[in-house]
Amino acid sequence: MSKPLERYQKLGLKESLPRIHRYPLACKELSLILRGAYKKIPKNLQSLIFQDTLTAFRLLPEMQTRNAVLAAHLLLQSVEATLPKQKKNAAVTEYKNAMVAHKRRTKARQEENVSGSTQLPQDVLVHIFSFLDMQSLVSVGLVCWLWNIAASENNLWRAQYTTFFGNSDNDAMIKGRQIGRLVEDEEGYTLFWREAFKRTYLGSSSKKLKSSRGYCRDCNTIVWLDNMKCSNEHTGLNSENQQIKLVLPSQVIGYLLDDSLSMASSSDSDSDSDGGPFSRLWAYQRPLSKTQ
């Protein structure tokens, strides 16, 4: 059995923090580890987690999203609730300095935008967004109205539907649930896939949508997921054949403490209400050119 320090290093939190799309997730995971495992782990691992926490705060000025700020604040709350006084004071000071720097950079970016930056064409945005995973696609749709329109493009959500729920070509059953939610293209009326994704998500297991982590049997550790696939490279292995077990944030603590993924296994029947973490996905409806 590997040691907690080795398992923590394999989680790759330090390497994930500089990546804008993973920063909020890494901060939230650090927050959970602080609250659920910090007092139960060896001192050398406590020291490493503290250093990663400081790194998270120092990187905050580089992050441009509201989610990053909220995640850093959540991490601060865990710091205040968990760390001993000296370390807590150091971390709080780091956070305050980071917030000052973040506000200054945000103001500078806003002034840059006002001075005149050109918008990318919609087809270019759609092409760029086609490389994003579902959570990132949700996030870019919250940036502005133009990005929301591009992120709502029908083919993008058809691809996401296929990734999460299977073959989108077999859509007869879905169409039965799509009353009044059809769009017209060159071939006639087709499914409005963003709405189909929402309805299927709300009507079925949501565990996979809440998880950015999975246990990869080929890597023999918990990994970050990109579109439900291990983000690590596997030489000679087809991505379709990867053996991935979805892991919820609460299960990371069990894995860290005792190399177990059996604890805190949320039932697949757990559901998110419309006010859940993905509710904003449905907040901005793309106007339909024609309904039926």
Side-chain angles (χ1 to χ4, degrees):
M1 181 181 293
S2 58
K3 297 180 180 179
L5 178 60
E6 295 173 0
R7 294 195 291 273
Y8 177 80
Q9 290 173 329
K10 287 182 179 179
L11 290 176
L13 289 174
K14 182 178 180 180
E15 294 77 17
S16 300
L17 285 169
R19 302 180 181 181
I20 293 176
H21 67 293
R22 289 219 176 115
Y23 178 88
L25 300 171
C27 281
K28 290 174 184 177
E29 201 163 282
L30 267 175
S31 176
L32 282 173
I33 290 173
L34 280 173
R35 288 182 180 270
Y38 184 81
K39 295 179 180 179
K40 305 173 185 177
I41 54 179
K43 289 189 178 296
N44 60 343
L45 181 50
Q46 287 182 348
S47 178
L48 182 57
I49 292 173
F50 173 65
Q51 291 302 321
D52 286 349
T53 300
L54 295 181
T55 298
F57 291 150
R58 288 168 186 156
L59 289 171
L60 179 58
E62 305 292 331
M63 306 300 152
Q64 303 178 25
T65 65
R66 185 168 179 268
N67 281 343
V69 175
L70 292 175
H73 186 259
L74 182 67
L75 181 57
L76 174 69
Q77 291 176 325
S78 295
V79 162
E80 292 175 330
T82 306
L83 294 183
K85 185 176 180 180
Q86 187 174 0
K87 288 184 176 180
K88 177 172 66 176
N89 290 341
V92 169
T93 299
E94 200 70 57
Y95 172 80
K96 289 180 178 178
N97 292 337
M99 281 302 300
V100 171
H102 183 273
K103 289 177 180 178
R104 287 175 180 169
R105 293 197 180 192
T106 300
K107 184 178 179 181
R109 291 189 195 106
Q110 290 172 344
E111 290 173 351
E112 255 180 53
N113 292 336
V114 170
S115 65
S117 62
T118 57
Q119 286 284 347
L120 289 173
Q122 285 293 108
D123 58 339
V124 175
L125 285 174
V126 170
H127 178 69
I128 293 171
F129 293 169
S130 69
F131 296 99
L132 301 179
D133 59 20
M134 189 274 293
Q135 292 182 348
S136 300
L137 189 58
V138 173
S139 297
V140 297
L142 300 173
V143 172
C144 65
W145 179 247
L146 289 175
W147 281 32
N148 178 260
I149 294 175
S152 301
E153 205 277 334
N154 209 37
N155 286 328
L156 293 180
W157 285 100
R158 180 169 187 158
Q160 294 294 335
Y161 190 99
T162 302
T163 297
F164 281 88
F165 304 118
N167 188 1
S168 64
D169 293 329
N170 186 17
D171 58 19
M173 182 179 67
I174 307 169
K175 283 185 177 178
R177 290 184 267 163
Q178 287 291 104
I179 301 174
R181 303 303 294 172
L182 303 177
V183 292
E184 187 178 20
D185 61 13
E186 296 175 354
E187 300 177 355
Y189 284 99
T190 59
L191 278 172
F192 187 53
W193 286 102
R194 186 168 180 263
E195 181 69 15
F197 188 100
K198 171 190 174 181
R199 287 171 182 254
T200 307
Y201 159 65
L202 294 176
S204 64
S205 166
S206 61
K207 181 177 179 180
K208 65 172 65 176
L209 300 179
K210 296 186 288 184
S211 179
S212 300
R213 290 286 208 174
Y215 187 89
C216 177
R217 290 179 174 85
D218 300 297
C219 297
N220 196 30
T221 188
I222 291 179
V223 297
W224 293 108
L225 299 181
D226 289 334
N227 278 333
M228 309 308 298
K229 301 291 190 300
C230 176
S231 59
N232 298 330
E233 292 186 7
H234 295 274
T235 305
L237 179 66
N238 191 320
S239 62
E240 299 299 326
N241 297 327
Q242 288 181 10
Q243 300 182 62
I244 300 293
K245 176 183 178 182
L246 297 178
V247 174
L248 296 180
S250 55
Q251 292 176 287
V252 174
I253 297 174
Y255 168 77
L256 183 63
L257 291 175
D258 58 14
D259 203 10
S260 169
L261 290 178
S262 61
M263 65 173 294
S265 55
S266 295
S267 168
D268 282 354
S269 63
D270 290 348
S271 62
D272 290 330
S273 68
D274 283 347
F278 290 95
S279 62
R280 288 179 297 174
L281 174 62
W282 328 120
Y284 305 97
Q285 294 293 339
R286 182 184 180 186
L288 297 178
S289 58
K290 196 175 290 188
T291 59
Q292 179 174 309

